[in-house]
């Protein structure tokens, strides 16, 4: 090991490794970070879709159900808009970023989201939808109207566009 050529070669190898290691570490950590970010976004999107797919059934007549939901919507015009005849807009940026509707079912009226858009790369109205459902449940209980929350969420299809839109596939029976 007293040979200066071997010592020089060892020093060159150490210098080259020191120059390449940061690039390799940076590339490796960047790809790991991107994968983790994609997994987080996919999980978050599934949570949002489950929230928006949740429904609420009011066990009452169509007019009484509409009266309950209309009252809740009128109290918060910054977030909700009555679009007419049992149709309601949920605002993120525009009054109809998500559209909810009261539809008849055998045991009453179901409040469900039928369409929503994406802003900033994902749907952003799930929090407002959860708030609307909670307020309608509270109002219905206050008026003595029975309400249930079905367990199976509805499913949506994503339609490309600017911005992309999600539409209800088929409502559950």
């Amino acid at each position: 090991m007293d040979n200066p050529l071997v010592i020089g070669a060892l020093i060159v190898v150490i210098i080259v490794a020191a120059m390449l290691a940061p690039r390799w570490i940076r590339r490796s950590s960047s790809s790991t970070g991107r994968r983790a970010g994609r997994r987080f976004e996919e999980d978050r999107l599934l949570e949002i879709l489950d929230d928006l797919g949740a429904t609420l059934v009011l066990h009452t007549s169509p007019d009484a159900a509409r009266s309950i939901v209309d009252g809740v919507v009128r109290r918060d015009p910054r977030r909700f808009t009555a679009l007419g005849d049992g149709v309601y807009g949920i605002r993120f940026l525009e009054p109809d970023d998500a559209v909810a509707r009261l539809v008849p079912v055998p045991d009453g009226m179901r409040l469900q989201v039928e369409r929503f858009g994406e802003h900033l790369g994902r749907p952003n109205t799930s929090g407002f939808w959860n708030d609307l459902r909670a307020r309608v449940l509270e109002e219905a209980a206050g008026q003595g109207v029975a309400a249930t929350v079905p367990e199976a969420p509805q499913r949506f299809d994503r339609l490309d566009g600017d911005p992309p839109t999600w539409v209800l596939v088929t409502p559950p029976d």
Side-chain angles (χ1 to χ4, degrees):
M1 205 63 164
D2 292 339
N3 187 347
L5 191 58
V6 174
I7 293 174
L10 187 59
I11 290 172
V12 169
V13 167
I14 292 171
I15 291 172
V16 169
M19 288 173 24
L20 296 178
R23 240 182 257 144
W24 177 79
I25 292 170
R26 193 172 33 252
R27 252 191 323 237
S28 176
S29 63
S30 291
S31 67
T32 301
R34 278 193 301 276
R35 281 194 306 273
R38 270 195 309 272
R39 277 194 307 270
F40 174 78
E41 282 297 320
E42 288 169 3
D43 291 345
R44 181 67 186 122
L45 178 60
L46 292 176
E47 289 175 25
I48 290 170
L49 292 176
D50 282 346
D51 284 348
L52 289 166
T55 63
L56 170 66
V57 176
L58 298 170
H59 302 283
T60 187
S61 69
D63 290 335
R66 192 170 297 119
S67 172
I68 290 169
V69 180
D70 284 350
V72 170
V73 166
R74 273 194 303 269
R75 279 186 236 127
D76 196 352
R78 294 179 56 120
R79 290 199 276 179
F80 311 117
T81 306
L83 300 174
D85 199 30
V87 180
Y88 306 94
I90 301 170
R91 178 187 299 266
F92 179 70
L93 296 176
E94 300 295 325
D96 63 348
D97 285 326
V99 174
R101 179 183 306 271
L102 277 168
V103 295
V105 291
D107 54 347
M109 296 293 285
R110 180 176 55 226
L111 182 61
Q112 65 186 24
V113 171
E114 293 195 335
R115 159 180 76 73
F116 55 91
E118 285 184 17
H119 293 287
L120 307 172
R122 67 177 175 188
N124 292 292
T125 52
S126 65
F128 299 137
W129 170 241
N130 289 337
D131 186 42
L132 178 62
R133 283 186 309 116
R135 289 180 184 196
V136 169
L137 270 171
E138 184 179 309
E139 182 71 21
Q143 293 185 22
V145 173
T148 56
V149 178
E151 288 188 31
Q154 298 185 37
R155 296 290 165 219
F156 300 94
D157 276 339
R158 185 176 189 265
L159 305 176
D160 291 331
D162 188 31
T165 304
W166 295 76
V167 294
L168 183 63
V169 175
T170 44
D173 291 334

